[in-house]
Amino acid sequence: AQSVTQLGSHVSVSEGALVLLRCNYSSSVPPYLFWYVQYPNQGLQLLLKYTSAATLVKGINGFEAEFKKSETSFHLTKPSAHMSDAAEYFCAVSGSASKIIFGSGTRLSIRP
Amino acid sequence: DAGVIQSPRHEVTEMGQEVTLRCKPISGHNSLFWYRQTMMRGLELLIYFNNNVPIDDSGMPEDRFSAKMPNASFSTLKIQPSEPRDSAVYFCASSLDGEVNTEAFFGQGTRLTVV
């Protein structure tokens, strides 16, 4: 069975500061891991995904995430926050089957 | 491709009425998911289909909820009878399940309000 835990339901950073959103996963098989972003009144869209090709994954809008098997983590980072990054971010995991399980989400706020 | 298409975008209904939500997945995708999103419970997987067959419906909350996928290009989620606690945003998503799991592509959601 797979699951993800997102630490921190709300993160607030200043514009230009580092963004770090935490995600830990649990999986009985080698996982596929995803980060999605949801803007208000929108569906979810993919930021990036890990499929075992490389441990450091680069996504859209300057985001990246590093897969660390020893820590069972897949934290999302961005060096410099922009006001447009304010949104809800979801970590997700799937295993050998199609089933994709999402974390509880982290709301990112950006202070001017 | 137009992406995953859900209808209606908004639905307001009275308690006890039947509600049907519709989804057209991306052409060629063979997995389809129904999720429910609420403030209290976050994003919950209700059911998912692979090649039109329901694989896991353990997330369906009660017998009042049912989902069908009669063909590769259409799925419905029905609530009968509806209750105020069913108020939520319901998302449909689809993916291509192969040797490497691809991401799920989401529709815009249906915002359901049961009064």
Side-chain angles (χ1 to χ4, degrees), chain B residues 1-112:
Chain B
D1 199 312
V4 177
I5 299 173
Q6 291 186 247
S7 63
R9 287 295 309 276
H10 302 273
E11 177 80 36
V12 180
T13 191
E14 292 185 347
M15 182 174 63
Q17 296 297 307
E18 176 181 298
V19 175
T20 299
L21 311 181
R22 296 173 175 79
C23 175
K24 182 182 188 313
I26 292 174
S27 177
H29 281 188
N30 59 355
S31 289
L32 183 138
F33 310 83
W34 282 101
Y35 290 90
R36 177 173 68 177
Q37 186 176 38
T38 61
M39 289 290 290
M40 292 297 293
R41 303 172 71 92
L43 197 61
E44 304 172 275
L45 176 63
L46 301 178
I47 185 171
Y48 83 96
F49 296 84
N50 187 256
N51 294 321
N52 311 338
V53 176
I55 302 300
D56 185 344
D57 65 354
S58 59
M60 296 285 263
E62 304 172 29
D63 291 345
R64 297 184 297 106
F65 287 69
S66 62
K68 294 182 180 179
M69 192 164 186
N71 57 60
S73 58
F74 185 65
S75 177
T76 59
L77 178 67
K78 185 179 293 186
I79 308 172
Q80 164 66 13
S82 58
E83 297 183 3
R85 58 195 170 114
D86 302 330
S87 298
V89 181
Y90 291 81
F91 287 104
C92 176
S94 70
S95 72
L96 179 60
D97 181 29
E99 291 184 1
V100 176
N101 284 0
T102 64
E103 66 270 26
F105 292 80
F106 280 74
Q108 293 293 295
T110 295
R111 182 174 296 276
L112 173 65

